[in-house]
Amino acid sequence: MAPSNAVGTVQFKSNGTAIGTPVTVTGGVATLSHSFDAAGAQSVTGRRSRVLRLI
């Protein structure tokens, strides 16, 4: 994701339903390992929640 130093978490969803818990963004990348129960097409999305850094 951009920027490459993005921080926060990503909630992945399959067909609108959350897959697991939000995962931490590390080095601009969020990774989730998941096995689907059924074969077939899935619509997988991810939404990032940013962390505010107050100075």
Side-chain angles (χ1 to χ4, degrees), residues 19-43:
I19 304 173
T21 58
V23 296
T24 302
V25 176
T26 303
V29 176
T31 303
L32 176 73
S33 179
H34 180 75
S35 296
F36 292 98
D37 295 332
Q42 300 285 330
S43 174

Side-chain angles (χ1 to χ4, degrees), residues 7-21:
V7 295
T9 60
V10 172
Q11 176 65 67
F12 289 97
K13 293 185 176 188
S14 172
N15 298 325
T17 302
I19 304 173
T21 58

